[in-house]
């Protein structure tokens, strides 16, 4: 039975849900092996992620980064490209955001600086993705290899710049000076406070709305524009795309630039929001998590939002779990996150054959 015989809701919703449940079942087994109660662990994780307003703020803060990187990976996937360079592209994009803020924060308020920072960050991120895209399209280099290499190059470049160029004079830690208060993004607890609602402080800021706007942009671009159609055709059948007159090399480069620009928006959340400066390793693995988010979300913006929220809850709830139960270390929390990535990524279609047989049997019984 072909994949098309399964209802759309099964592929988009049911299969990812089953994979997540399987991951948690295996994780529960690991927790039992170390002598802890898995139900108590789940309760702590849920309460840590959604049980109080500060936890919700941190969950949505992580979710914002994962939406950006998940969209970046999804755009590339639609063209048949496996862009695993989101970490480096977000890092260099944050450099672009930081340079714009450090240059203009003395003169512009955040709402005027924000579009300039978005443009600067997207330009830097697009440039960092352009080179692997060009090498793939015109020189035959494999996109996976080049994007991995560029992650390490980005990391080394940022260390050099923050230690030798951008470091605040007289500071010991490798980070830039703090950007001016008028150039930082409003935090959500400040926004709610202005409306008379008191919530606990967290790194969550208005860049969450930018992430949702990017989801709308990706949906419109991929499914409602000529370029989006060309990208999807290349991913589905590159030879057919060439035969139909699409310049596949140009589209590959364009797709990678858009992907890098989306990943760079992590810099808005971090540099203008949470950190209020350029620091080392502010991406913190969000680029790699974006791969799992895109796979679990089936490369669709709605699915990416849901998957990002799940991983945001895992990160925040996992931190609470390692704090509340001493035998469950941070490393074990990473194992739990890795199991979700394993089942939603590498084993994403493990349950598909079983579901296909079930739905085929149901359809036959209906016909009889």
């Amino acid at each position: 039975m072909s994949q098309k015989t399964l209802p759309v809701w099964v592929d988009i919703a049911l299969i990812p849900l089953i994979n997540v449940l399987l991951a948690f079942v295996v994780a529960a087994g690991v927790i039992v092996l170390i002598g802890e109660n898995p139900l108590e662990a789940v309760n702590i994780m849920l309460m840590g992620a959604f049980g109080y307003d500060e936890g919700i703020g941190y969950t949505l803060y992580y979710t914002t980064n994962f939406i950006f990187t998940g969209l970046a990976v999804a755009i590339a996937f639609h063209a048949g490209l496996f862009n695993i360079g989101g970490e480096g592209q977000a890092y260099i994009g944050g450099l672009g955001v930081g340079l714009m803020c450090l240059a203009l924060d003395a003169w512009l308020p955040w709402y005027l600086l924000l579009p300039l920072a978005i443009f600067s960050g997207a330009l830097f991120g697009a440039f960092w993705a352009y080179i692997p895209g060009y090498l793939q399209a015109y020189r035959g280099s494999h996109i996976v290899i080049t994007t991995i290499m560029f992650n390490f190059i980005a990391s080394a470049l940022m260390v050099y710049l923050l230690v030798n160029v951008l470091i605040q004079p007289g500071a010991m830690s490798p980070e830039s000076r703090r950007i001016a208060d008028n150039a930082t993004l409003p935090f959500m607890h400040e926004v709610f406070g202005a409306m008379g609602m008191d919530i606990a402080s967290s790194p969550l800021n208005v860049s969450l709305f930018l992430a949702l706007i990017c989801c709308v942009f990706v949906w419109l671009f991929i499914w409602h524009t000529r370029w989006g159609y060309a990208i999807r055709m290349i991913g589905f059948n590159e030879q057919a795309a060439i035969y139909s007159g699409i310049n596949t090399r140009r589209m590959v480069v364009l797709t990678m630039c858009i992907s890098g620009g989306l990943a760079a928006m992590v810099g808005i959340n971090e540099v203008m929001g949470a950190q209020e400066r350029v620091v080392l390793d502010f991406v913190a693995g969000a680029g790699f998590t974006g791969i799992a988010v895109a796979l679990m979300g089936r490369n669709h913006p709605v699915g990416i939002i849901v998957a990002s929220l799940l991983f945001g809850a895992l990160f925040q709830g996992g931190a609470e779990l390692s704090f509340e139960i001493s035998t469950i270390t941070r490393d074990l929390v990473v194992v739990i996150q890795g199991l979700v990535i394993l089942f939603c990524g590498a084993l994403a279609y493990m349950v598909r054959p079983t579901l296909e047989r079930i739905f085929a049997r149901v359809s036959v019984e209906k016909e009889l």
Side-chain angles (χ1 to χ4, degrees):
M1 183 181 239
S2 66
Q3 293 183 9
K4 295 182 179 179
T5 56
L6 283 177
V8 175
W9 65 270
V10 173
D11 188 49
I12 294 178
L14 183 58
I15 290 179
L17 177 61
I18 293 174
N19 288 333
V20 170
L21 292 176
L22 288 174
F24 279 114
V25 168
V26 176
V30 174
I31 293 173
V32 169
L33 289 176
I34 65 172
E36 297 293 341
N37 185 346
L39 294 179
E40 180 186 359
V42 170
N43 182 63
I44 292 174
M45 290 187 71
L46 289 176
M47 292 300 297
F50 302 109
Y52 58 105
D53 49 3
E54 184 182 7
I56 294 172
Y58 272 91
T59 296
L60 293 178
Y61 155 68
Y62 293 126
T63 298
T64 303
N65 282 343
F66 299 152
I67 289 176
F68 288 133
T69 56
L71 290 173
V73 174
I75 283 277
F77 270 151
H78 280 294
L81 303 170
F82 193 11
N83 176 21
I84 57 176
E87 193 83 1
Q89 292 150 21
Y91 215 176
I92 298 300
L95 173 64
V97 173
L99 291 177
M100 184 62 71
C101 292
L102 293 172
L104 300 177
D105 62 348
W107 295 281
L108 298 179
W110 72 269
Y111 52 84
L112 293 180
L113 186 55
L114 179 59
L116 295 175
I118 290 174
F119 175 77
S120 177
L123 186 64
F124 274 60
F127 169 74
W128 207 248
Y130 166 82
I131 302 174
Y134 175 85
L135 293 174
Q136 163 88 7
Y138 292 95
R139 293 293 181 264
S141 301
H142 201 289
I143 198 73
V144 171
I145 303 300
T146 52
T147 49
I148 288 176
M149 292 172 59
F150 269 67
N151 284 336
F152 288 100
I153 295 172
S155 179
L157 177 62
M158 290 296 287
V159 169
Y160 172 81
L161 290 175
L162 285 172
V163 170
N164 298 285
V165 180
L166 296 177
I167 188 171
Q168 182 178 1
M172 296 298 293
S173 58
E175 59 186 36
S176 72
R177 67 167 177 85
R178 185 180 180 278
I179 61 178
D181 288 335
N182 63 294
T184 60
L185 292 181
F187 290 101
M188 293 302 290
H189 61 268
E190 297 172 342
V191 174
F192 279 95
M195 296 186 294
M197 292 179 282
D198 184 27
I199 64 173
S201 62
S202 71
L204 179 65
N205 57 77
V206 297
S207 63
L208 174 64
F209 300 116
L210 175 62
L212 298 178
I213 291 171
C214 286
C215 289
V216 176
F217 162 77
V218 169
W219 176 73
L220 291 173
F221 179 78
I222 291 295
W223 283 279
H224 295 277
T225 67
R226 179 171 56 87
W227 283 352
Y229 177 79
I231 288 172
R232 287 185 290 122
M233 178 173 280
I234 293 171
F236 182 74
N237 191 323
E238 184 175 359
Q239 294 302 316
I242 295 173
Y243 183 77
S244 65
I246 296 174
N247 188 330
T248 56
R249 289 181 174 180
R250 184 183 303 167
M251 291 307 300
V252 164
V253 175
L254 173 66
T255 303
M256 286 299 296
C257 287
I258 296 173
S259 178
L262 287 168
M265 294 302 99
V266 171
I268 299 293
N269 186 31
E270 294 292 338
V271 176
M272 290 189 73
Q275 309 296 338
E276 299 182 343
R277 70 193 74 205
V278 183
V279 299
L280 282 179
D281 299 326
F282 65 82
V283 183
F288 296 116
T289 305
I291 300 172
V293 167
L295 289 170
M296 183 177 175
R298 295 297 186 267
N299 301 318
H300 191 283
V302 174
I304 286 172
I305 291 173
V306 176
S308 298
L309 183 61
L310 170 65
F311 279 95
L314 284 174
F315 271 65
Q316 170 58 21
E320 292 282 343
L321 182 61
S322 61
F323 178 78
E324 293 291 338
I325 302 179
S326 59
T327 54
I328 299 180
T329 64
R330 184 62 188 169
D331 292 333
L332 185 57
V333 172
V334 173
V335 169
I336 296 173
Q337 296 166 355
L339 287 170
V340 175
I341 294 174
L342 174 66
F343 279 91
C344 296
L347 304 178
Y349 292 100
M350 179 178 64
V351 299
R352 176 180 287 278
T354 302
L355 291 176
E356 287 177 346
R357 288 193 294 270
I358 292 173
F359 277 87
R361 187 176 303 168
V362 170
S363 61
V364 170
E365 291 177 354
K366 287 182 177 179
E367 291 175 0
L368 295 177

